[in-house]
Amino acid sequence: MSIALSTTLTGADFDTVVQRTRDALADQGFGVLTEIDMQATLKAKLGEDMERYLILGACNPPLAHRAVGIMRTIGLLLPCNVVVREDPDRDGAIVVDAMNPDVMVQATGEPALGDVARDAGERLRAAIAALGGTGDGLA
């Protein structure tokens, strides 16, 4: 099982891809609760340079509520992280990776989370597909 649902876009501006990702997530009922700019953080804290790398903490409240109702500690694996990043090996390519919700089921061993993971996975796959790009959806 892959940990990510992914697509790669070429010929697109990073900031535009970030906004399109936010919009695609919103269309599937996800809001972005957190945003972590890894490039800025690593530069400020460690003096290290890296490509643009943004982590969006996406949450679909009804799905999160269902998951927490099944297993209170599942909050440790929430929200669903979505990464928008430049690919350092492919000039101009931007990769969007979303956490594969099946990871929750595998990591916890809680089969009752399967339905929630399936619903979340369908929505995240639809958001990733809406971006276009290349890839089979799995990294």
Side-chain angles (χ1 to χ4, degrees), residues 2-7 81-83 95-102 117 120-129 136-139:
S2 173
I3 67 167
L5 311 172
S6 301
T7 192
N81 283 328
V82 177
V83 174
V95 178
V96 179
D97 297 311
M99 182 193 79
N100 182 346
D102 291 336
E122 288 173 10
R123 291 173 181 272
L124 289 169
R125 280 182 185 85
I128 293 291
D136 62 5
L138 297 176

Short mmCIF file of all heavy atoms in Angstrom, two decimals, residues 2-7 81-83 95-102 117 120-129 136-139:
data_model
loop_
_atom_site.label_atom_id
_atom_site.label_comp_id
_atom_site.label_asym_id
_atom_site.label_seq_id
_atom_site.Cartn_x
_atom_site.Cartn_y
_atom_site.Cartn_z
N SER A 2 0.52 2.19 -0.83
CA SER A 2 1.23 3.45 -0.89
C SER A 2 0.71 4.40 0.18
O SER A 2 -0.48 4.37 0.52
CB SER A 2 1.03 4.08 -2.27
OG SER A 2 1.59 5.37 -2.30
N ILE A 3 1.57 5.25 0.70
CA ILE A 3 1.12 6.22 1.70
C ILE A 3 0.53 7.47 1.08
O ILE A 3 -0.04 8.30 1.78
CB ILE A 3 2.24 6.60 2.69
CG1 ILE A 3 3.36 7.37 2.01
CG2 ILE A 3 2.75 5.38 3.43
CD1 ILE A 3 4.33 8.01 2.99
N ALA A 4 0.66 7.63 -0.26
CA ALA A 4 0.23 8.87 -0.89
C ALA A 4 -0.63 8.63 -2.12
O ALA A 4 -0.47 7.65 -2.84
CB ALA A 4 1.45 9.70 -1.28
N LEU A 5 -1.53 9.59 -2.34
CA LEU A 5 -2.28 9.72 -3.58
C LEU A 5 -1.66 10.95 -4.25
O LEU A 5 -1.60 12.01 -3.64
CB LEU A 5 -3.76 9.98 -3.28
CG LEU A 5 -4.41 9.04 -2.26
CD1 LEU A 5 -5.81 9.52 -1.91
CD2 LEU A 5 -4.44 7.62 -2.80
N SER A 6 -1.17 10.81 -5.49
CA SER A 6 -0.32 11.85 -6.06
C SER A 6 -0.63 12.18 -7.50
O SER A 6 -1.16 11.35 -8.24
CB SER A 6 1.16 11.42 -6.00
OG SER A 6 1.56 11.18 -4.69
N THR A 7 -0.24 13.40 -7.87
CA THR A 7 -0.22 13.81 -9.26
C THR A 7 0.95 14.77 -9.44
O THR A 7 1.39 15.41 -8.49
CB THR A 7 -1.55 14.46 -9.70
OG1 THR A 7 -1.57 14.57 -11.12
CG2 THR A 7 -1.77 15.82 -9.08
N ASN A 81 -2.96 15.21 5.70
CA ASN A 81 -1.96 16.11 5.15
C ASN A 81 -1.92 16.01 3.63
O ASN A 81 -2.00 14.92 3.05
CB ASN A 81 -0.58 15.82 5.72
CG ASN A 81 -0.43 16.36 7.12
OD1 ASN A 81 -1.00 17.37 7.48
ND2 ASN A 81 0.34 15.67 7.94
N VAL A 82 -1.80 17.18 3.01
CA VAL A 82 -1.65 17.29 1.57
C VAL A 82 -0.41 18.15 1.34
O VAL A 82 -0.30 19.24 1.88
CB VAL A 82 -2.89 17.95 0.91
CG1 VAL A 82 -2.68 18.12 -0.59
CG2 VAL A 82 -4.15 17.12 1.20
N VAL A 83 0.53 17.62 0.56
CA VAL A 83 1.79 18.32 0.31
C VAL A 83 1.81 18.83 -1.12
O VAL A 83 1.49 18.08 -2.06
CB VAL A 83 2.99 17.37 0.55
CG1 VAL A 83 4.30 18.03 0.15
CG2 VAL A 83 3.03 16.92 2.01
N VAL A 95 4.57 18.55 -7.56
CA VAL A 95 3.91 17.32 -7.13
C VAL A 95 2.91 17.67 -6.03
O VAL A 95 3.21 18.46 -5.13
CB VAL A 95 4.93 16.30 -6.60
CG1 VAL A 95 4.24 15.04 -6.10
CG2 VAL A 95 5.96 15.97 -7.66
N VAL A 96 1.73 17.08 -6.12
CA VAL A 96 0.74 17.19 -5.05
C VAL A 96 0.51 15.78 -4.53
O VAL A 96 0.14 14.88 -5.28
CB VAL A 96 -0.59 17.80 -5.55
CG1 VAL A 96 -1.60 17.87 -4.41
CG2 VAL A 96 -0.35 19.19 -6.16
N ASP A 97 0.81 15.59 -3.24
CA ASP A 97 0.64 14.30 -2.56
C ASP A 97 -0.40 14.48 -1.46
O ASP A 97 -0.28 15.40 -0.65
CB ASP A 97 1.94 13.86 -1.86
CG ASP A 97 3.10 13.61 -2.80
OD1 ASP A 97 2.92 12.90 -3.78
OD2 ASP A 97 4.20 14.13 -2.50
N ALA A 98 -1.37 13.58 -1.42
CA ALA A 98 -2.33 13.56 -0.31
C ALA A 98 -2.14 12.27 0.46
O ALA A 98 -1.89 11.22 -0.14
CB ALA A 98 -3.76 13.66 -0.84
N MET A 99 -2.26 12.34 1.76
CA MET A 99 -2.15 11.13 2.57
C MET A 99 -3.21 10.12 2.14
O MET A 99 -4.37 10.47 1.97
CB MET A 99 -2.35 11.44 4.05
CG MET A 99 -2.19 10.21 4.93
SD MET A 99 -2.76 10.46 6.62
CE MET A 99 -4.53 10.31 6.42
N ASN A 100 -2.81 8.89 1.95
CA ASN A 100 -3.74 7.82 1.64
C ASN A 100 -4.46 7.44 2.95
O ASN A 100 -3.82 6.96 3.88
CB ASN A 100 -2.99 6.61 1.08
CG ASN A 100 -3.89 5.47 0.69
OD1 ASN A 100 -5.07 5.43 1.05
ND2 ASN A 100 -3.35 4.54 -0.06
N PRO A 101 -5.77 7.68 3.05
CA PRO A 101 -6.48 7.39 4.30
C PRO A 101 -6.43 5.92 4.72
O PRO A 101 -6.66 5.62 5.90
CB PRO A 101 -7.92 7.81 4.00
CG PRO A 101 -7.80 8.80 2.90
CD PRO A 101 -6.64 8.33 2.07
N ASP A 102 -6.13 5.02 3.80
CA ASP A 102 -6.00 3.61 4.18
C ASP A 102 -4.89 3.40 5.20
O ASP A 102 -4.88 2.39 5.91
CB ASP A 102 -5.75 2.73 2.95
CG ASP A 102 -6.97 2.65 2.05
OD1 ASP A 102 -8.11 2.87 2.54
OD2 ASP A 102 -6.80 2.39 0.85
N ALA A 117 -12.20 5.65 5.88
CA ALA A 117 -11.02 5.74 5.02
C ALA A 117 -11.44 5.67 3.55
O ALA A 117 -10.90 6.40 2.71
CB ALA A 117 -10.03 4.63 5.35
N ALA A 120 -13.05 9.04 2.65
CA ALA A 120 -12.01 10.07 2.56
C ALA A 120 -11.14 9.86 1.33
O ALA A 120 -10.79 10.81 0.62
CB ALA A 120 -11.15 10.07 3.83
N GLY A 121 -10.80 8.61 1.05
CA GLY A 121 -9.97 8.29 -0.11
C GLY A 121 -10.65 8.68 -1.41
O GLY A 121 -10.01 9.23 -2.31
N GLU A 122 -11.95 8.41 -1.52
CA GLU A 122 -12.68 8.80 -2.74
C GLU A 122 -12.64 10.31 -2.93
O GLU A 122 -12.43 10.80 -4.05
CB GLU A 122 -14.13 8.32 -2.66
CG GLU A 122 -14.29 6.83 -2.82
CD GLU A 122 -15.72 6.34 -2.58
OE1 GLU A 122 -16.64 7.19 -2.46
OE2 GLU A 122 -15.91 5.11 -2.52
N ARG A 123 -12.83 11.04 -1.86
CA ARG A 123 -12.83 12.51 -1.94
C ARG A 123 -11.43 13.05 -2.27
O ARG A 123 -11.30 13.97 -3.08
CB ARG A 123 -13.34 13.11 -0.64
CG ARG A 123 -14.82 12.86 -0.41
CD ARG A 123 -15.25 13.32 0.99
NE ARG A 123 -16.64 13.06 1.23
CZ ARG A 123 -17.63 13.90 0.92
NH1 ARG A 123 -17.35 15.04 0.34
NH2 ARG A 123 -18.87 13.58 1.19
N LEU A 124 -10.42 12.50 -1.63
CA LEU A 124 -9.06 12.96 -1.91
C LEU A 124 -8.63 12.59 -3.32
O LEU A 124 -7.98 13.38 -4.01
CB LEU A 124 -8.08 12.40 -0.88
CG LEU A 124 -8.21 13.01 0.52
CD1 LEU A 124 -7.39 12.22 1.53
CD2 LEU A 124 -7.80 14.49 0.51
N ARG A 125 -9.02 11.40 -3.79
CA ARG A 125 -8.70 11.01 -5.18
C ARG A 125 -9.39 11.96 -6.17
O ARG A 125 -8.80 12.35 -7.17
CB ARG A 125 -9.12 9.57 -5.45
CG ARG A 125 -8.15 8.55 -4.93
CD ARG A 125 -8.57 7.10 -5.26
NE ARG A 125 -7.68 6.16 -4.64
CZ ARG A 125 -7.80 5.72 -3.38
NH1 ARG A 125 -8.80 6.13 -2.62
NH2 ARG A 125 -6.92 4.88 -2.89
N ALA A 126 -10.62 12.35 -5.87
CA ALA A 126 -11.34 13.28 -6.74
C ALA A 126 -10.64 14.64 -6.76
O ALA A 126 -10.53 15.27 -7.82
CB ALA A 126 -12.79 13.42 -6.30
N ALA A 127 -10.18 15.09 -5.60
CA ALA A 127 -9.47 16.37 -5.54
C ALA A 127 -8.17 16.30 -6.34
O ALA A 127 -7.86 17.22 -7.11
CB ALA A 127 -9.19 16.75 -4.08
N ILE A 128 -7.42 15.22 -6.17
CA ILE A 128 -6.17 15.05 -6.91
C ILE A 128 -6.45 14.97 -8.42
O ILE A 128 -5.76 15.59 -9.23
CB ILE A 128 -5.42 13.78 -6.43
CG1 ILE A 128 -4.94 13.95 -4.98
CG2 ILE A 128 -4.27 13.40 -7.35
CD1 ILE A 128 -3.83 14.94 -4.79
N ALA A 129 -7.48 14.23 -8.80
CA ALA A 129 -7.82 14.09 -10.23
C ALA A 129 -8.23 15.43 -10.82
O ALA A 129 -7.92 15.71 -11.99
CB ALA A 129 -8.94 13.06 -10.40
N ASP A 136 -0.70 7.94 -11.49
CA ASP A 136 -1.83 7.03 -11.34
C ASP A 136 -2.59 7.28 -10.05
O ASP A 136 -3.48 6.53 -9.69
CB ASP A 136 -1.39 5.59 -11.42
CG ASP A 136 -0.40 5.20 -10.32
OD1 ASP A 136 -0.13 6.04 -9.44
OD2 ASP A 136 0.08 4.08 -10.34
N GLY A 137 -2.25 8.35 -9.34
CA GLY A 137 -2.91 8.62 -8.08
C GLY A 137 -2.23 8.02 -6.88
O GLY A 137 -2.52 8.34 -5.76
N LEU A 138 -1.30 7.09 -7.11
CA LEU A 138 -0.56 6.48 -6.01
C LEU A 138 0.92 6.76 -6.18
O LEU A 138 1.46 6.67 -7.26
CB LEU A 138 -0.78 4.96 -5.99
CG LEU A 138 -2.22 4.50 -5.75
CD1 LEU A 138 -2.31 2.99 -5.85
CD2 LEU A 138 -2.75 4.96 -4.41
N ALA A 139 1.55 7.12 -5.07
CA ALA A 139 2.99 7.38 -5.14
C ALA A 139 3.74 6.14 -4.76
O ALA A 139 3.25 5.28 -4.09
CB ALA A 139 3.38 8.51 -4.19
#
